[in-house]
Amino acid sequence: MTVVLIVSGVMLLTAAVITAYRLLAGPNSLDRLVAVDTLIALTVCGVMVWAVYSRDTTLVPSIVALSVVGFVGSVSVARFRVADTPETRRAAAAATARTPHPPRGDESRDRRQGKS
């Protein structure tokens, strides 16, 4: 059993090193976001392997907390991610220009009173 846990730890460490390289060298922010999410998942797996090795069940709340933080962080960063390339920036700007904005307070009052 100990051999399996050691092999699991080595594999998780190898995956973390490869993921850290992608985090540092990633060509755009989406690659970096995926790398951070993967590192959080690897950390959760590492804590689980340690919990099995030490037979300590008090680590379960930390596993759940890391999972929730990883999920919420990934969703929030993905929601507000900024475009990376000039093409996607132009597309985002064009989509924003096509979206009608609500009138400001003075304009809506003038429209209600029939003024132009």
Side-chain angles (χ1 to χ4, degrees), residues 9-27:
V10 169
M11 289 173 64
L12 287 170
L13 184 63
T14 305
V17 168
I18 293 169
T19 305
Y21 171 75
R22 176 53 52 203
L23 177 65
L24 297 173

Side-chain angles (χ1 to χ4, degrees), residues 31-110:
D31 288 335
R32 289 183 173 98
L33 174 65
V34 170
V36 168
D37 194 31
T38 304
L39 277 177
I40 292 173
L42 289 171
T43 303
V44 168
C45 291
V47 171
M48 283 192 273
V49 168
W50 178 255
V52 169
Y53 176 74
S54 65
R55 297 177 190 254
D56 186 9
T57 59
T58 60
L59 295 173
V60 173
S62 65
I63 293 169
V64 172
L66 276 171
S67 300
V68 169
V69 167
F71 172 74
V72 171
S74 296
V75 168
S76 62
V77 170
R79 172 69 175 98
F80 297 109
R81 187 175 86 83
V82 177
D84 289 328
T85 62
E87 294 84 19
T88 54
R89 284 189 197 123
R90 280 193 297 264
T96 303
R98 287 191 303 260
T99 304
H101 297 287
R104 292 187 174 161
D106 296 339
E107 295 170 1
S108 62
R109 182 176 58 235
D110 291 343

